[in-house]
Amino acid sequence: MRRFIAAGTSDVGRVREGNEDAYLVADSVVAVADGMGGHLAGEVASSTALEPLRELDGRIFPDAGEALAALRDAVVAANETVVQMAADEPSYRGMGTTLTAALLEGRRLHVAHVGDSRAYLFRDGTFSQLTDDHTFVQHLIDEGQITREEAAKHPQRSMITRAIGVSEEIDVDAMTLELQPDDVVLLCSDGLTGPVSDQAIAEVLGSDDDLDTSLDRLIEMANEAGGPDNITAVILRFEDSDAEATQGPRPVAIQTRDDRGGDDWANRLGSFGSIGSGGGSFISQQSSDRDDPARFGGLVLRSLAIVVGIALLAGGLYGGGRFLLAQSYFISLEEEQVVIFQGIDADLGPLSLSWVSERSELMIDDVAPYYRPTLEEGFPAADINDARRLVRGIPLREDQGEDAEDAADELDTDDGATPDEDATGDGTP
Ligand code: MN
């Protein structure tokens, strides 16, 4: 007799205040979503994205192609819903989520995926990552610029290049897997794979523990490693009681994504293809027409601008989680001037991930001394109006009086990425 069993769990971790991850375990569909966005928006994005998947549960499909198409359609529907909610509700602006989902159809498992939550397969003692992360560091690995080991410690490792809810166009990676008895599939958020090594995860999955015990172990390991992010895992096991029982723990081999190239791994397991509505891979994605390409520093940054997010694990400055580049604003200093930037307050090597949106006439000398370090550090705004409001609220040096306040009210729009040498401006809107 053959059967599938699945279980999932989620834990807030040791650093975050809320849990923006969500997961789904139903009879024939499982999924993990890792939301991002201020306040409750991340939770809304991740739980909303699971709804179209839940509707797939129990459906019978005539063939593998139809099942895979239905799964893909559910992910596209999830994207449309989150995009719409973000457009309708100001407090949801900028929200998004990863989504990694698996649909059982007979002995096949269909997997669809956007973002950096992962699917792994443990089979015959070999632990393999099925999904490719849609992250900037994965792009750097693909380009040969950094190694996987360097990527694991890269400060921008959680900057994602695709997400649900960011754009109406979405590329969905999808694959079909022919299951074998004793296969174990893991879906998880980066709160597990960031702090815990593939080796350690594989040893848990290769044990004879029941699913709940294994899940507890995974959460425990991530928390023991600091629990920097929300941790979510779903385990699915294909059991075959007719087959011989597994004899104790087996040695584990870790197969990385890079190892797969060239051998017949892809043929045996099926390989991911991009089947979304947008077409093209990361580097060929285009930003929408309203964006002037000249504002962005070349093709790579233009691609990133649509969907990049960042995890700032170090501080609560951004309220945790990732940030979506194109919809993000922050206030900081350029030279001595208080400026509203669009993008994110981080640099990736030669790439600057922000550009000047508007300049105020406020100079650092006008600002109350105690507040200057905050400005030097920079702080985020929800949107341009919020940014203007925040600039007006910057506490001024006591003896500055109204002159400086007036200056803060008058913002000079700068629609070019080129630094404006005329830093003081003339205050004309
Ligand atoms: Mn996460």
Side-chain angles (χ1 to χ4, degrees):
M1 177 189 162
R2 299 192 179 97
R3 66 180 187 128
F4 299 102
I5 52 168
T9 192
S10 188
D11 187 86
V12 68
R14 294 216 165 137
V15 174
R16 303 265 193 255
E17 282 179 10
N19 192 341
E20 297 186 314
D21 286 1
Y23 70 94
L24 168 68
V25 175
D27 288 340
S28 64
V29 61
V30 293
V32 165
D34 179 350
M36 67 203 83
H39 306 288
L40 293 173
E43 288 167 61
V44 170
S46 59
S47 57
T48 301
L50 296 180
E51 288 310 317
L53 291 152
R54 198 187 303 275
E55 287 168 22
L56 291 178
D57 191 38
R59 266 179 64 184
I60 307 293
F61 300 97
D63 56 47
E66 297 248 349
L68 188 62
L71 180 61
R72 185 262 325 271
D73 290 349
V75 175
V76 171
N79 183 60
E80 282 168 4
T81 307
V82 178
V83 165
Q84 193 58 51
M85 288 174 76
D88 290 347
E89 170 58 52
S91 63
Y92 292 162
R93 199 170 303 168
M95 75 177 177
T97 184
T98 71
L99 184 57
T100 299
L103 173 68
L104 282 159
E105 178 249 340
R107 295 188 54 171
R108 281 182 284 265
L109 188 72
H110 305 281
V111 182
H113 151 71
V114 173
D116 69 348
S117 299
R118 292 177 177 174
Y120 288 94
L121 172 67
F122 188 90
R123 170 181 290 174
D124 294 335
T126 300
F127 185 64
S128 313
Q129 188 179 327
L130 297 174
T131 50
D132 295 338
D133 293 347
H134 301 140
T135 57
F136 188 76
V137 291
Q138 184 61 54
H139 170 69
L140 296 178
I141 294 169
D142 293 345
E143 297 274 292
Q145 294 183 35
I146 59 171
T147 65
R148 284 179 66 87
E149 290 67 36
E150 286 164 344
K153 296 189 172 69
H154 198 283
Q156 275 83 37
R157 62 188 173 277
S158 292
M159 176 178 285
I160 59 175
T161 53
R162 288 195 220 172
I164 297 287
V166 178
S167 159
E168 283 170 21
E169 301 268 290
I170 183 85
D171 284 336
V172 183
D173 282 1
M175 74 179 296
T176 296
L177 187 66
E178 297 286 341
L179 290 167
Q180 296 175 8
D182 296 328
D183 274 357
V184 179
V185 172
L186 168 72
L187 307 188
C188 60
S189 66
D190 66 336
L192 176 65
T193 52
V196 183
S197 71
D198 281 7
Q199 182 74 40
I201 296 170
E203 279 164 16
V204 172
L205 296 188
S207 74
D208 291 332
D209 293 336
D210 62 49
L211 296 193
D212 288 333
T213 307
S214 295
L215 288 168
D216 289 347
R217 281 285 301 130
L218 295 177
I219 300 292
E220 199 179 285
M221 289 192 301
N223 277 325
E224 278 167 5
D229 193 5
N230 305 144
I231 311 146
T232 300
V234 169
I235 305 177
L236 193 147
R237 193 174 278 166
F238 180 36
E239 294 194 332
D240 189 347
S241 56
D242 299 337
E244 267 180 52
T246 312
Q247 305 300 321
R250 294 162 288 183
V252 172
I254 307 295
Q255 188 152 19
T256 69
R257 184 178 172 278
D258 307 325
D259 299 335
R260 271 189 272 151
D263 73 2
D264 67 345
W265 179 247
N267 289 332
R268 281 187 287 124
L269 297 182
S271 62
F272 268 104
S274 190
I275 56 170
S277 59
S281 59
F282 154 66
I283 199 69
S284 64
Q285 278 178 357
Q286 299 296 314
S287 56
S288 59
D289 295 334
R290 66 182 187 279
D291 291 327
D292 175 8
R295 289 179 58 176
F296 300 92
L299 180 63
V300 170
L301 185 53
R302 205 160 71 233
S303 307
L304 282 170
I306 332 168
V307 284
V308 165
I310 189 167
L312 293 166
L313 298 174
L317 184 67
Y318 285 77
R322 299 185 187 77
F323 245 64
L324 300 168
L325 178 61
Q327 286 126 324
S328 301
Y329 291 85
F330 66 95
I331 295 142
S332 191
L333 295 172
E334 188 180 69
E335 306 283 305
E336 307 234 294
Q337 190 178 22
V338 177
V339 166
I340 299 172
F341 290 93
Q342 197 170 356
I344 50 171
D345 192 4
D347 287 333
L348 274 173
L351 295 176
S352 170
L353 292 179
S354 59
W355 57 95
V356 174
S357 176
E358 293 185 359
R359 295 168 186 282
S360 77
E361 291 205 345
L362 204 53
M363 306 302 287
I364 188 72
D365 285 346
D366 304 327
V367 175
Y370 78 88
Y371 202 74
R372 290 174 192 170
T374 307
L375 270 177
E376 278 158 17
E377 187 101 326
F379 57 90
D383 55 41
I384 187 65
N385 290 321
D386 186 38
R388 289 169 182 153
R389 210 158 38 235
L390 289 167
V391 168
R392 282 196 293 270
I394 290 172
L396 303 176
R397 214 174 68 192
E398 298 263 320
D399 58 334
Q400 276 292 308
E402 289 178 3
D403 283 356
E405 275 176 39
D406 289 347
D409 283 343
E410 292 176 17
L411 289 157
D412 182 18
T413 301
D414 184 336
D415 54 11
T418 330
D420 187 355
E421 293 304 322
D422 182 18
T424 53
D426 58 11
T428 312

